[in-house]
Every structure is written in C-alpha cells, then in structure tokens.
Amino acid sequence: MSTSKNTNESLRERELAHTSGVYPTKDVAMVRGKGAHLWDADGKQYIDCAAGHGVANLGHAHPRVVQAVSNQVGTLTTLAGSFPNDQRAEFQERLTAFLPEGFDRVFLCNSGAESIEGALKFARLTTGRPGIVAAQRGFHGRTMGALACTWDKKYREPFEPLIGAVQHAPYGKLDGFAELVGDDTACVIVEVVQGEGGVRLATPEFLRGLRALCDERGALLILDEVQSGFGRTGRRFAFEHYGIVPDILTMGKAIGGGLAMGAIGLGPGVCELKVGHHGSTFGGNPLACAAGNATLRTLVEDRLVERAEELGQWFRTALGEIDSAQVREVRGLGLMVALDLRCRVAPVLAALQERGIIALPAGPTVLRFLPPLIIEKEDLEHVVKAVGEVLAELTVEGAAR
Ligand SMILES: *Cc1c(COP(=O)(O)O)cnc(C)c1O
C-alpha cells in the first residue's frame, strides 16, 4: 500500500490495479464532500449535480446526518430484525407518516435493487400469479429479478435466462400494457419518471390508465421511486403529481441521507406477510435507521420538497433560455432535470467537469442533473452559465471541423 500523498492519478492507478472492472474509471478521485460540493484528491472543488445518482438529496455530510450517525455508531449499529429497536421504531413511524394514507407497513432493506426484489415477491404472494409487465427504457437495478424488469439489452442479455415471465411494453403506451396485462399478471412495474432511460415523464393519462388497468385486471401497480423519491421531483414522491397511488412503492437512494438503505412501502392491497416470507441481515439496522430519521426530519422541517419544486422550476426555465442549436428539449420535474441534446453528451460532461461541475448522462444524448435539494441558487446559476458556454464552444468546434 502506498503511503505517499494521494493524488487523482495515484488513486486511479491503485483502484485500477484491483477493480472488478465493472465501473468506468474517471480521471479524478473524489475524497471529500460538503453540501453541494465535492473535492478531488488534487484539491479542486466541484459543484455536484449528480449527488451519487440522486442519493445526496441533503447534500454531503449534512450536519444532522453526521450527528445522528456519530451518536448511533457508538450506541448500536447492528441488530437482527426480530429484536425491536428505538431507531427502527422511529424510522418506521416517520416513513409511514411520509407515505400516503394506507401505507402503514414498510419492509426495510439496503438498496434499490433489493426493494425491487421484495416488491416482486410480495406481488406474486398477494396475487398468486407469476407474470410481470415492465416498461421499455425502464431501469430497476442489477440483481436477477430487478434486471429482468430492466429494459436495456446491454444490462440483461449476457445474464439470461433471468426470471421468466417478464414482458416489456413501450413506456407511455397504455394500449401496449393493456395487451400484456392479463389473468396471469401479478404486477405492472414502472418508474414515474424514467431516470436512466432519459428523464422521461409519465403523462397523467398513462399513469392513471395503468392504475385503472391494474385495478380492472387484478394486478398490483408497483411504482419504482428509487431515484425520483424523497423530494427529488418537488413532491415527496413523483406519483403525487399524478393524483394516483401505487399498491407497492420501492424506495432507495436518498432515503438514508447517504448511507446504504432501501425500503418497500406496502399499500392496503398487499396481503398479510408472515414470518419467513422475506428478510435481510442488514435491513433496518439501527445505524441506517438513525441516518434515515435525520434525513426525513430534515426533508420535512427544512421544507426541502417545496424547495426542490421552486428551485427546479427556476433551473429548468434558465436552462431553457440557453440559446443553442444543440438543445432539443429541457424536461424534468423538480430537481430531476434533463437537457436533451442534438450532440453526444460525453464531451459536454467532460467539458463541464473541466469547469468544476459534475453532471450525469441519461442515454447517449441526454445531460442529466440531480443536484442536492439544498444546493444554493448561485451554484445553479453558475451551472447554467457553464452549460451555455460549453455548448457554444462545442458548436464552434463542430463547425470548424
Ligand atoms: C438506481 C435505481 C435502482 C437500483 O438501485 P441500487 O441501489 O443501485 O440497487 C432501481 N430503480 C431505479 C429507478 C433506480 O434509479
């Protein structure tokens, strides 16, 4: 092990020596975060508009999360799910209070994919049916069940056969879903806003139509809000924009204030669960629950959901005013925002990183922003200006070629 001073270069080399290889390795190493900012190993500061793919809704090292985790780590970190615990009891109360009426049961797990796995099991258990209908362009995670529901062949095909009985219909096309949902369908699973699939919003007709279709055919509606939940879209959950509720809600990413956590919300349409039906060693551990308690308290008391709505409106309008032929469309909800480009996104992301801004792709031509909900408007103003400059430069370079 090297004991000399860490640099972007040295950390990259050390990681590459032992990595599995599944992650593209970037050229900067991030070593510290505070609020909406990150610092690399060479000391350069960045505005973080990725927030760990929508994990850091409260920003990095939020004082309340730091305090809660620090206290709990010296008190009790791990405990089997069969023993009740003060942090878990409080978290289950806070989470069910944060969910719509009727969601008075939750299963706690450790990640988004795990929440999907449990949701699929509970839908099969409730209906006694095997079938699953998911959406084209959907993304639900990398474990076998979640992967089977994911659309992109590059994730799925090398690992087939996955769990059978998953069919995909075009996102937004109610007719396509109506063709596939039948007597053997346990559930329909979709994102309210497709994140990895390009920040694509459901229309009200589509989402309400799916709700009615599931009711009519006796299937459960699972909404995957792993990315869009916890204030990201300017509502607690994105489905609140649409006036419907799911039967099962899957949650992850931002739920634990940066700690690994996931959860499944169970509506009244889900059957009674019994001992042995499901479980998780780390699910609902006191440390994650303490972080979750601080997170939910902060989201509510600091009105961060409302903040995401207002700041997101402003941000999307400002991005829309960028005068560039490269911009096809600005879309999003709250602070889940995308710029659909006429050029490839990779060079735009690289140029933004050069200027100290971290953003995300969502497909080959979509630039995605998932900034912390606590981000200052000045930071977003800086981002808008930089995006305008980068697109102008790329246009000039493209024309010169
Ligand atoms: C990230 C994501 C997942 C998977 O979550 P992991 O914690 O990476 O397993 C599932 N669904 C959606 C919509 C996501 O964005």
Side-chain angles (χ1 to χ4, degrees):
M1 263 190 291
S2 164
T3 51
S4 60
K5 193 175 175 303
N6 289 329
T7 62
N8 287 334
E9 185 58 31
S10 73
L11 289 175
R12 181 166 186 273
E13 269 174 34
R14 281 170 60 194
E15 282 221 9
L16 280 174
H18 302 290
T19 180
S20 67
V22 304
Y23 295 112
T25 307
K26 299 199 191 296
D27 53 4
V28 295
M30 297 300 183
V31 292
R32 192 161 66 85
K34 182 75 194 158
H37 297 130
L38 288 170
W39 284 266
D40 73 17
D42 295 350
K44 179 172 164 182
Q45 182 179 332
Y46 300 81
I47 299 173
D48 184 11
C49 287
H53 287 78
V55 169
N57 282 12
L58 302 190
H60 300 281
H62 191 285
R64 281 206 184 139
V65 176
V66 170
Q67 180 78 60
V69 170
S70 307
N71 288 345
Q72 192 61 35
V73 80
T75 302
L76 187 66
T77 58
T78 190
L79 183 71
S82 46
F83 291 104
N85 169 262
D86 54 345
Q87 293 296 337
R88 195 191 301 124
E90 180 182 333
F91 185 67
Q92 293 186 167
E93 286 163 4
R94 282 190 188 276
L95 183 57
T96 49
F98 196 76
L99 296 174
E101 207 165 316
F103 280 75
D104 47 19
R105 294 173 291 162
V106 289
F107 177 84
L108 303 179
C109 53
N110 311 286
S111 69
E114 269 184 62
S115 72
I116 305 294
E117 298 295 331
L120 299 177
K121 282 178 67 177
F122 300 156
R124 283 188 168 179
L125 197 65
T126 298
T127 60
R129 303 168 174 185
I132 296 162
V133 181
Q136 294 180 6
R137 286 204 175 115
F139 180 87
H140 302 287
R142 324 293 189 123
T143 53
M144 288 293 187
L147 191 57
C149 298
T150 293
W151 168 247
D152 195 333
K153 288 188 176 59
K154 86 172 179 229
Y155 297 131
R156 264 189 309 134
E157 269 186 354
F159 307 103
E160 288 175 348
L162 299 167
I163 64 164
V166 181
Q167 292 173 291
H168 292 86
Y171 190 72
K173 296 259 157 58
L174 203 50
D175 291 358
F177 279 83
E179 268 171 41
L180 298 180
V181 178
D183 290 344
D184 64 345
T185 306
C187 59
V188 169
I189 177 168
V190 294
E191 295 154 88
V192 179
V193 181
Q194 291 190 316
E196 303 309 302
V199 186
R200 290 171 206 280
L201 282 64
T203 61
E205 299 71 42
F206 175 59
L207 214 57
R208 289 180 197 147
L210 279 186
R211 178 68 277 177
L213 182 68
C214 287
D215 289 342
E216 182 194 308
R217 314 242 165 122
L220 299 188
L221 179 62
I222 302 175
L223 293 180
D224 178 356
E225 294 235 25
V226 169
Q227 189 165 136
S228 56
F230 298 97
R232 171 57 55 193
T233 70
R235 296 288 186 278
R236 291 176 175 204
F237 294 96
F239 64 76
E240 293 167 30
H241 288 282
Y242 296 82
I244 58 139
V245 287
D247 296 300
I248 303 181
L249 177 66
T250 61
M251 298 167 267
K253 294 206 164 102
I255 186 173
L259 271 76
M261 195 178 210
I264 310 169
L266 307 171
V270 179
C271 69
E272 190 186 336
L273 300 177
K274 298 222 166 68
V275 173
H277 276 149
H278 204 45
S280 163
T281 297
F282 286 116
N285 69 78
L287 188 63
C289 287
N293 283 327
T295 302
L296 288 182
R297 219 187 111 199
T298 305
L299 276 175
V300 173
E301 289 180 8
D302 293 357
R303 299 178 56 82
L304 294 181
V305 182
E306 294 80 357
R307 182 182 170 83
E309 169 80 10
E310 286 159 27
L311 209 52
Q313 286 265 6
W314 175 87
F315 186 41
R316 279 178 279 125
T317 304
L319 285 171
E321 283 163 4
I322 291 175
D323 183 21
S324 168
Q326 306 290 6
V327 179
R328 195 193 306 271
E329 186 185 30
V330 179
R331 57 176 178 258
L333 273 178
L335 281 171
M336 187 168 185
V337 177
L339 213 57
D340 201 337
L341 301 172
R342 291 201 170 80
C343 57
R344 299 191 70 78
V345 70
V348 177
L349 286 168
L352 285 174
Q353 184 185 308
E354 196 57 40
R355 287 164 190 264
I357 294 164
I358 303 296
L360 290 164
T365 63
V366 177
L367 178 60
R368 176 173 40 154
F369 300 96
L370 301 173
L373 313 186
I374 51 91
I375 194 169
E376 294 295 338
K377 194 174 173 191
E378 291 69 42
D379 278 338
L380 286 181
E381 281 168 355
H382 185 78
V383 170
V384 172
K385 189 159 163 280
V387 171
E389 287 167 7
V390 164
L391 290 179
E393 273 171 26
L394 288 173
T395 306
V396 171
E397 278 171 33
R401 228 177 272 137

